[in-house]
């Protein structure tokens, strides 16, 4: 019996001990999966914050465009009274998506305001809040910040606001006023905004809980992740007022699919391992009893007898439980979805919505890169500024909707005249385009400008109010230079702008300054 007890104890120890050690890799797997899950939720939180930033930037693109238009300046200086009738139709509100278009003069007195039907009740509160925060708003208007969020205490709702100064005819003179666009951040607007990206949001009062496992603060929002249970997580986005005070929390419940799958797999694996261990233990006891203990007992009983033959001890193979299978398909799907949406936002942030070509912000980035490259390798850099002739008259005759279509068509025509992939075209203003020509001297720049003039003339876009031939034409200012130490890219831009000014005197022509 002593031998039987020792063998049984050894088998129990050898069989049960691995079960306890199994929890160590399980904990490691769970820790790694939890880190991956948290990174995924953090990326999603950043994406949610990016959607708000994208919407604010979208409104900013329109305020900046309107603020730079000559019609807006003439309107605020009482020289274009028809601007309201032609510029504030329902189609304009529908196209932009804004709930209001507010014009304030330089002293913040209200000049003209238009609101959608569902925003009319906030009209007085909006203007009052703007005036209350005018010092901060003025800083925003002349900075690179795209938008802000302000509290409307009486309305009980925050408002997303984008502002741009209305530029004067001369850059040295101060702005004559400001144009504001945006939207009241009510539940309907936020639901529609995020449902367009596949998210279902809820709103609540400000709630940044201490149980959040991830928190990141941005300029206009605070994003956080809270693990509610093993199967549910909550991603929160708290919007901040211009002063930095939290105003409103949005929350997005997410099913912790990966965590649930891993816990289920771990449970199944542990159960399978325990069952197999129990089976192996029983089989080992049975084998030991039959192949070791019983033969040993028989040997003791019959030790005095001579026995011939051999005892065959058959070793039982122990089969380990199946390996844990880590399911990461859900994480891959989430990563692929986030990557796709950022690319869309990045593409949107680089592209002018109306024309599909580069916007001014993206052009500035490329301009800086090409300028530094040209300075380093001592190669010329050409610049063309293209302006549509008498385009204000075109808008007056055909309407702003037709004007936008015409701008988009002109972008295609001008782009088709560029032969090299390295030539960059961007929308520079309302009806202005700017073209960057790397490694191109003045002669080459002039040849490309001639190609553009011919392409526009050959397109023969009708323009009843045009000064010649009743078709739409363009004027082009161009310049080329090899950057030297001490030169700035603004110098090249200024010279091209001066050339455009000279070209506009004749129209349907180009004008260039000698290479600098």
């Amino acid at each position: 019996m002593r031998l039987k007890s020792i063998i049984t104890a050894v088998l129990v120890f050898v069989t049960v001990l691995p079960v306890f050690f199994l929890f160590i890799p399980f904990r490691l797997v769970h820790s790694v999966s939890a880190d991956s899950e948290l990174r995924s939720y953090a990326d999603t939180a950043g994406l949610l914050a990016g959607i708000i930033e994208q919407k604010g930037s979208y409104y900013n693109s329109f305020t900046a465009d309107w603020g730079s238009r000559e019609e807006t300046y003439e309107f605020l200086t009482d020289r274009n009274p028809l601007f309201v009738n032609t510029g504030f139709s329902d189609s304009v509100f529908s196209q932009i998506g804004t709930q209001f278009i507010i014009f304030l003069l330089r002293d913040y007195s209200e000049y003209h305001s238009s609101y959608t039907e569902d925003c009319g009740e906030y009209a007085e509160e909006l203007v009052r809040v703007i005036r209350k925060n005018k010092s901060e708003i003025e800083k925003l208007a002349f900075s690179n910040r795209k938008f802000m969020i302000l509290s409307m205490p009486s309305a009980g709702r925050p408002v997303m606001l984008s502002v741009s100064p209305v530029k004067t005819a001369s850059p040295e003179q101060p702005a004559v006023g400001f144009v504001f666009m945006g939207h009241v951040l009510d539940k309907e607007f936020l639901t529609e905004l995020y449902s367009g990206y596949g998210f279902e949001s809820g709103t609540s009062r400000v709630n940044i809980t201490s149980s959040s496992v991830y928190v990141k603060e941005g300029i206009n929002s605070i994003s956080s992740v809270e693990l509610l249970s093993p199967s549910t997580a909550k991603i929160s986005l708290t919007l901040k007022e211009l002063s930095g005070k939290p105003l409103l929390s949005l929350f997005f419940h997410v099913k912790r699919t990966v965590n649930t799958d891993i816990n289920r797999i771990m449970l199944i694996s542990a159960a399978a391992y325990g069952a197999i261990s129990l089976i192996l233990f029983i089989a080992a006891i049975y084998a030991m009893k039959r192949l070791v203990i019983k033969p040993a007992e028989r040997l003791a009983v019959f030790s005095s007898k001579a026995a011939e033959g051999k005892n065959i001890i058959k070793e039982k193979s122990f089969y380990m439980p199946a390996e844990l299978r880590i399911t990461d398909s859900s994480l891959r799907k989430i990563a692929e979805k986030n990557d796709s949406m950022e690319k869309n936002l990045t593409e949107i942030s680089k592209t002018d919505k109306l024309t599909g070509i580069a916007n001014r912000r993206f052009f500035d980035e490329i301009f800086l890169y090409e300028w530094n490259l040209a300075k380093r390798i001592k190669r010329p850099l050409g610049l063309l500024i293209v302006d549509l002739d008498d385009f204000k008259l075109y808008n007056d005759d055909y309407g702003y909707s037709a004007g936008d279509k015409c701008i988009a068509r002109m972008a295609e025509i001008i782009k088709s005249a560029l032969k090299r992939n390295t030539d960059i075209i961007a929308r520079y203003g309302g009806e202005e385009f700017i073209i960057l020509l790397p490694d191109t001297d003045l002669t080459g720049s002039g040849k490309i400008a001639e190609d553009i003039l011919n392409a526009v003339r050959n397109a023969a876009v009708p323009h009843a109010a045009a000064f010649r031939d009743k078709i739409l034409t363009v004027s082009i200012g161009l310049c080329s230079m090899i950057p030297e130490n001490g030169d700035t890219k603004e110098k090249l831009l200024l010279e091209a702008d001066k050339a455009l000014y000279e070209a506009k005197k004749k129209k349907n022509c180009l004008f260039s300054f000698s290479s600098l």
Side-chain angles (χ1 to χ4, degrees):
M1 292 299 294
R2 185 176 180 184
L3 177 60
K4 183 177 180 180
S5 299
I6 294 174
I7 293 176
T8 302
V10 170
L11 287 176
V12 170
F13 181 81
V14 172
T15 305
V16 175
L17 188 61
V19 175
F20 289 99
F21 281 105
L22 182 66
F23 287 99
I24 297 177
F26 278 2
R27 291 298 299 271
L28 292 175
V29 169
H30 192 276
S31 176
V32 171
S33 66
D35 290 342
S36 299
E37 183 184 31
L38 181 58
R39 285 195 297 270
S40 172
Y41 293 154
D43 291 342
T44 303
L47 179 62
L48 297 173
I51 291 173
I52 282 287
E53 294 291 332
Q54 176 189 343
K55 193 64 176 178
S57 298
Y58 174 77
Y59 288 139
N60 176 261
S61 66
F62 282 97
T63 56
D65 183 36
W66 282 44
S68 64
R69 290 185 178 184
E70 183 179 351
E71 302 97 308
T72 310
Y73 170 72
E74 292 179 351
F75 169 58
L76 286 186
T77 54
D78 296 323
R79 287 190 290 171
N80 189 359
L82 296 178
F83 182 74
V84 174
N85 296 328
T86 60
F88 299 118
S89 61
D90 291 340
S91 63
V92 172
F93 282 94
S94 176
Q95 178 185 4
I96 298 176
T98 183
Q99 279 189 323
F100 52 85
I101 302 175
I102 301 174
F103 286 93
L104 300 183
L105 294 178
R106 193 64 180 80
D107 60 355
Y108 286 84
S109 59
E110 188 172 4
Y111 187 79
H112 182 83
S113 301
S114 293
Y115 305 86
T116 59
E117 183 177 351
D118 54 348
C119 186
E121 63 181 296
Y122 307 119
E124 293 183 3
E125 177 73 352
L126 272 169
V127 175
R128 184 164 54 250
V129 168
I130 289 173
R131 288 172 177 164
K132 179 181 178 182
N133 296 274
K134 64 181 182 180
S135 60
E136 295 297 326
I137 288 176
E138 190 156 329
K139 292 179 183 178
L140 172 67
F142 295 99
S143 70
N144 293 326
R145 188 170 177 179
K146 301 300 181 183
F147 68 99
M148 59 188 160
I149 298 174
L150 296 178
S151 173
M152 296 195 299
S154 299
R157 290 179 174 85
V159 60
M160 175 185 288
L161 193 69
S162 181
V163 57
S164 177
V166 177
K167 298 181 179 178
T168 61
S170 173
E172 291 77 19
Q173 296 179 2
V176 297
F178 302 92
V179 56
F180 297 83
M181 296 184 189
H183 207 291
V184 175
L185 297 178
D186 52 19
K187 184 177 181 180
E188 291 74 19
F189 170 74
L190 294 169
T191 299
E192 181 180 359
L193 175 63
Y194 281 100
S195 63
Y197 292 91
F199 296 101
E200 293 184 2
S201 67
T203 59
S204 68
R205 295 180 179 178
V206 175
N207 181 25
I208 306 176
T209 64
S210 58
S211 59
S212 297
V213 294
Y214 168 85
V215 178
K216 183 177 181 180
E217 185 168 357
I219 297 176
N220 299 297
S221 61
I222 303 172
S223 53
S224 61
V225 177
E226 182 181 359
L227 303 180
L228 301 179
S229 69
S231 61
T232 307
K234 183 172 74 172
I235 301 176
S236 300
L237 184 67
T238 301
L239 305 181
K240 298 192 302 182
E241 192 181 21
L242 185 60
S243 64
K245 177 184 177 182
L247 289 178
L248 177 68
S249 288
L250 313 178
F251 56 87
F252 306 80
H253 286 100
V254 182
K255 291 182 178 180
R256 299 181 63 187
T257 307
V258 174
N259 188 68
T260 303
D261 289 347
I262 289 177
N263 285 337
R264 183 176 67 252
I265 292 172
M266 290 173 63
L267 181 62
I268 293 173
S269 298
Y273 191 90
I276 293 174
S277 297
L278 180 61
I279 292 173
L280 291 176
F281 176 75
I282 294 174
I285 291 293
Y286 177 78
M288 284 293 179
K289 185 176 181 180
R290 289 201 53 162
L291 302 178
V292 178
I293 297 175
K294 282 189 176 181
E297 289 178 347
R298 287 196 299 267
L299 183 60
V301 172
F302 301 104
S303 60
S304 59
K305 299 179 179 180
E308 297 182 355
K310 297 180 180 180
N311 290 326
I312 301 175
I313 302 176
K314 188 177 181 180
E315 296 182 359
K316 180 73 175 177
S317 299
F318 288 87
Y319 295 93
M320 298 295 292
E323 293 181 70
L324 294 175
R325 293 167 296 166
I326 302 176
T327 304
D328 61 351
S329 59
S330 298
L331 283 175
R332 290 197 186 117
K333 290 179 182 179
I334 294 174
E336 291 172 359
K337 183 177 179 181
N338 291 346
D339 183 63
S340 175
M341 295 192 73
E342 181 178 358
K343 287 181 179 178
N344 288 339
L345 284 174
T346 302
E347 191 64 27
I348 290 172
S349 69
K350 294 180 178 179
T351 306
D352 178 62
K353 181 175 181 176
L354 177 62
T355 61
I357 61 177
N359 58 24
R360 185 167 180 174
R361 174 185 175 186
F362 184 53
F363 175 83
D364 289 340
E365 295 177 5
I366 297 298
F367 191 8
L368 178 60
Y369 172 80
E370 292 293 347
W371 174 266
N372 291 333
L373 179 61
K375 180 185 289 186
R376 186 168 61 252
I377 65 176
K378 304 299 182 182
R379 299 295 295 171
L381 183 64
L383 188 69
L384 276 61
I385 302 180
V386 183
D387 186 77
L388 307 186
D389 293 329
D390 298 315
F391 195 70
K392 179 181 180 301
L393 299 178
Y394 188 96
N395 277 335
D396 291 342
D397 281 358
Y398 298 95
Y400 284 96
S401 179
D404 287 345
K405 293 179 181 179
C406 179
I407 290 175
R409 185 178 179 188
M410 284 297 105
E412 294 178 0
I413 294 171
I414 296 172
K415 186 177 180 181
S416 67
L418 304 177
K419 308 303 181 184
R420 302 182 305 177
N421 293 333
T422 56
D423 297 338
I424 304 298
I425 178 174
R427 189 178 179 194
Y428 194 60
E431 64 271 10
E432 282 188 349
F433 301 93
I434 191 164
I435 302 171
L436 192 64
L437 305 172
D439 199 14
T440 307
D441 58 16
L442 191 62
T443 301
S445 299
K447 177 61 174 62
I448 294 174
E450 287 286 356
D451 291 343
I452 293 173
L453 284 176
N454 292 331
V456 173
R457 281 196 293 261
N458 292 336
V461 177
H463 186 354
F467 78 106
R468 181 190 301 168
D469 299 330
K470 303 305 178 183
I471 61 173
L472 187 65
T473 59
V474 297
S475 296
I476 305 176
L478 62 109
C479 188
S480 177
M481 66 182 297
I482 300 176
E484 301 289 345
N485 292 334
D487 289 336
T488 64
K489 59 186 179 65
E490 285 74 19
K491 181 179 179 181
L492 177 60
L493 188 63
L494 178 62
E495 294 301 324
D497 192 60
K498 289 179 180 178
L500 176 64
Y501 179 79
E502 295 297 328
K504 291 293 288 184
K505 292 180 180 179
K506 296 181 179 181
K507 300 183 180 179
N508 189 29
C509 70
L510 59 90
F511 190 91
S512 65
F513 281 101
S514 300
S515 297
L516 300 174

